[in-house]
């Protein structure tokens, strides 16, 4: 599953030739980390995280969300406790993990998980296409066509902290319903 394909980007830009395919593929590849910085992993992948429960904790919160599944929870220190994943309860959106029996986690733990989404929603795909279009226009203004009178319909306005001027407000507005909760990375 890809956030955006080359064919989708070409359709968004009304490009019918193969002349710029290599360059355009670079743009397609570049938008994934930008969008995932805002909404978390889109394309499924394995992630490992180290979490500290040395003093004991009833719940731990994974930093990478959304979570598709937990694969394993292993101790990092010899003699530590292994927690079978079928004995855990996971909130995939917040990344909160609890023991099903209500017990405490203890020790330094290595979580292995599958993060990402089961599908790319049309809204997220549209945001990716619009971001490619915006970035393409910065390098190819003569081919991108603008508004009559030279106006620009991809104005960024005031930058969102952490995103600067590379991501237009309209892209961020499309992604807003999927935004990571505060404190997620």
């Amino acid at each position: 599953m890809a956030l955006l394909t080359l064919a989708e980007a070409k359709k968004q830009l009304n490009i019918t030739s193969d002349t710029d395919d290599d360059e355009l593929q670079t743009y397609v590849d570049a938008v994934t980390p930008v969008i995932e910085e805002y909404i978390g992993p889109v394309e499924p992948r394995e992630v490992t995280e180290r979490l500290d429960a040395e003093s004991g904790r009833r719940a731990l919160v994974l930093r990478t969300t959304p979570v598709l599944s937990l694969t394993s929870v292993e101790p990092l220190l010899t003699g530590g406790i292994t927690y079978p994943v079928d004995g855990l309860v996971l909130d995939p959106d917040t990344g909160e993990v609890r023991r099903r029996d209500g017990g405490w986690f203890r020790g330094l733990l290595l979580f292995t998980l599958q993060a990402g989404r089961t599908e790319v929603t049309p809204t997220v795909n549209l945001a990716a296409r619009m971001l490619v279009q915006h970035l393409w226009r910065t390098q190819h203004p003569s081919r991108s066509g603008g508004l009559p009178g030279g106006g620009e319909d991809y104005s960024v306005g005031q930058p969102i902290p952490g995103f600067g001027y590379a991501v237009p407000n309209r892209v961020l507005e499309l992604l807003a319903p999927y935004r990571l909760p505060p404190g997620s990375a």
Side-chain angles (χ1 to χ4, degrees), residues 86-115:
D86 62 353
L88 305 176
V89 177
L90 167 70
D91 181 323
D93 296 323
T94 65
E96 182 181 80
V97 182
R98 295 183 174 274
R99 289 182 48 184
R100 196 173 299 280
D101 65 7
W104 293 61
F105 290 102
R106 299 203 186 278
L108 294 173
L109 302 170
L110 181 66
F111 282 75
T112 303
L113 56 118
Q114 288 293 314

Side-chain angles (χ1 to χ4, degrees), residues 62-84:
L62 300 166
R63 291 179 296 278
T64 307
T65 60
V67 180
L68 293 169
S69 65
L70 280 175
T71 306
S72 66
V73 181
E74 303 288 331
L76 284 169
L77 301 175
T78 304
I81 300 169
T82 298
Y83 297 94

